[in-house]
């Protein structure tokens, strides 16, 4: 990893001496380092067990969000494509503390980002949710994208990994068949972060919020907000600020659990049966 970090700094053009290289917490997937040279500070993540476009698509997502001018994201200085060797992505080092308005600002900024729309629902290349592949195509209708690229993809992984006992498999198929009954309502294709749990944002200088680690797509903005409610991590101030600037559909509470189902299937496939009862509860509520 040190060799890849040195190479990244060389490509960036920072040839000054490294003063500090400290491994830090960076999630369950990557090795993460704080790097301080004579010239600059960096956050560098690395991995050798991921797809060759793993870091490229993260950089692409950060760039798209930055281009909206609505949200703060770390600057991307460098990334490479892991093949046989380790790959890394070098990002701006963000340091700061939350203040009384940080989460309010986050809600405001996310609402403005969600009002940047694409022509279709989906994305132009595959992304990742954790280490799981997230296939993507573009669809005219959100319900078709959510069915094919989100629920079907996790259904197939769950089947391969033995996560679908017969009752669960039957009910999940039934829900997918009936999906248009709940979410076929003409949602516009908002630019979404795609993996916005409480650990994928942070506070920077002056309490400014930053979004990190995206898995971007264009889709229903209610899908993103539903995930923020699944595992907590967001305050009332966040939701109030968001709603004032981009209200959720009137039937949001009726469809929220269907959107959360995708992320629970992801956790079921990544971590096992501890999430099975939550999946089953949603399936039984809608189609049981």
């Amino acid at each position: 990893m040190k060799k890849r970090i040195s190479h990244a700094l060389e490509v960036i053009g920072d040839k000054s001496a490294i003063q500090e290289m400290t491994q830090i917490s960076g999630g369950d997937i990557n090795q993460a380092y704080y790097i301080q040279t004579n010239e600059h500070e960096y956050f560098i993540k690395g991995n050798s067990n991921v797809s060759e476009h793993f870091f490229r698509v993260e950089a692409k997502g950060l760039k798209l969000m930055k281009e909206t001018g609505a949200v703060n994201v770390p600057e991307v200085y460098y990334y490479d494509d892991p093949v046989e060797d380790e790959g890394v992505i070098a990002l701006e080092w963000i340091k700061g503390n939350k203040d009384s308005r940080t989460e309010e600002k986050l809600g405001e900024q996310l609402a403005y980002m969600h009002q940047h729309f694409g022509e279709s629902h989906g994305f132009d290349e595959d992304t990742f949710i954790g280490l799981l592949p997230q296939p993507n195509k573009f669809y005219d209708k959100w319900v078709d994208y959510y069915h094919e690229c989100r629920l079907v993809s996790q259904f197939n992984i769950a089947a391969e990994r033995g996560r679908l006992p017969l009752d669960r498999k039957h009910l999940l198929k039934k829900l997918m068949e009936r999906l248009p009954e709940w979410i076929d309502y003409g949602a516009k294709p908002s630019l979404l972060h795609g993996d916005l749990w409480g650990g994928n944002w942070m506070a920077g200088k002056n309490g400014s919020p930053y979004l990190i680690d995206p898995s971007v797509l264009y889709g229903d903005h209610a899908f993103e907000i539903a995930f923020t409610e699944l595992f907590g991590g967001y305050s009332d101030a966040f939701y109030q600020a968001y709603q004032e600037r981009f209200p959720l559909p009137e039937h949001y509470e009726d469809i929220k659990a269907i959107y959360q189902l995708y992320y629970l299937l992801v956790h079921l496939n990544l971590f096992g049966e501890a999430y099975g009862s939550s999946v089953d509860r949603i399936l039984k509520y809608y189609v049981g």
Side-chain angles (χ1 to χ4, degrees):
M1 185 59 65
K2 291 182 179 181
K3 180 180 178 181
R4 298 308 304 159
I5 290 173
S6 296
H7 175 73
L9 294 174
E10 183 178 344
V11 173
I12 291 168
D14 187 344
K15 298 181 180 180
S16 63
I18 296 176
Q19 297 297 317
E20 182 179 346
M21 180 185 296
T22 303
Q23 189 164 1
I24 58 176
S25 174
D28 298 326
I29 297 172
N30 302 298
Q31 298 178 49
Y33 295 85
Y34 166 73
I35 307 294
Q36 182 179 18
T37 70
N38 284 342
E39 295 182 358
H40 207 63
E41 294 177 291
Y42 305 90
F43 176 67
I44 298 183
K45 299 187 294 185
N47 207 312
S48 58
N49 299 309
V50 292
S51 172
E52 64 182 25
H53 72 295
F54 186 80
F55 291 123
R56 176 170 55 82
V57 78
E58 178 181 347
K60 182 175 182 177
L62 289 169
K63 181 174 183 289
L64 282 171
M65 293 194 301
K66 182 181 179 67
E67 287 174 347
T68 68
V71 298
N72 299 309
V73 300
E75 191 74 31
V76 179
Y77 298 123
Y78 171 84
Y79 65 87
D80 54 20
D81 298 336
V83 182
E84 295 178 356
D85 199 2
E86 296 168 315
V88 301
I89 183 169
L91 304 167
E92 176 186 4
W93 175 254
I94 305 298
K95 184 178 181 180
N97 296 295
K98 290 172 58 176
D99 62 28
S100 61
R101 290 203 62 227
T102 298
E103 294 199 37
E104 179 185 347
K105 293 176 184 176
L106 179 62
E108 292 175 359
Q109 293 176 9
L110 187 67
Y112 292 138
M113 188 184 86
H114 284 173
Q115 292 174 74
H116 286 76
F117 302 107
E119 296 181 0
S120 304
H121 297 276
F123 200 54
D124 60 2
E125 65 179 309
D126 294 349
T127 54
F128 301 89
I129 185 77
L131 285 176
L132 293 179
Q134 174 53 66
N136 284 304
K137 293 180 181 178
F138 279 117
Y139 291 82
D140 291 333
K141 296 177 67 175
W142 164 249
V143 66
D144 294 334
Y145 173 81
Y146 189 61
H147 178 274
E148 294 297 324
C149 291
R150 292 294 166 133
L151 294 185
V152 170
S153 66
Q154 293 303 316
F155 177 94
N156 291 337
I157 294 171
E160 292 171 3
R161 298 188 177 189
R163 311 285 201 219
L164 292 180
L166 288 179
D167 285 352
R168 184 179 298 158
K169 184 175 184 180
H170 169 72
L171 291 177
L172 185 51
K173 279 186 173 182
K174 189 175 180 181
L175 182 141
M176 290 192 294
E177 290 169 357
R178 293 177 55 187
L179 204 57
E181 296 179 21
W182 297 288
I183 68 169
D184 190 8
Y185 61 97
K188 295 177 69 175
S190 296
L191 178 63
L192 307 181
H193 176 283
D195 190 14
L196 199 54
W197 68 287
N200 276 351
W201 73 274
M202 61 190 302
K205 187 177 180 181
N206 298 321
S208 296
Y210 280 73
L211 298 183
I212 59 174
D213 294 343
S215 180
V216 299
L217 71 149
Y218 290 92
D220 184 0
H221 69 126
F223 176 54
E224 185 115 285
I225 298 303
F227 183 40
T228 67
E229 292 197 61
L230 183 57
F231 299 125
Y234 292 84
S235 67
D236 291 342
F238 166 84
Y239 293 107
Q240 182 176 343
Y242 184 93
Q243 279 279 78
E244 288 175 356
R245 289 154 184 84
F246 195 15
L248 293 164
E250 291 182 0
H251 64 301
Y252 170 70
E253 291 297 331
D254 297 329
I255 63 174
K256 178 169 67 175
I258 287 180
Y259 286 160
Q260 292 174 339
L261 176 62
Y262 166 73
Y263 291 101
L264 288 168
L265 287 168
V266 168
H267 281 72
L268 176 68
N269 286 328
L270 286 172
F271 306 115
E273 193 55 34
Y275 293 92
S277 61
S278 297
V279 169
D280 295 340
R281 186 162 52 249
I282 291 173
L283 296 176
K284 289 175 181 177
Y285 176 79
Y286 286 100
V287 295

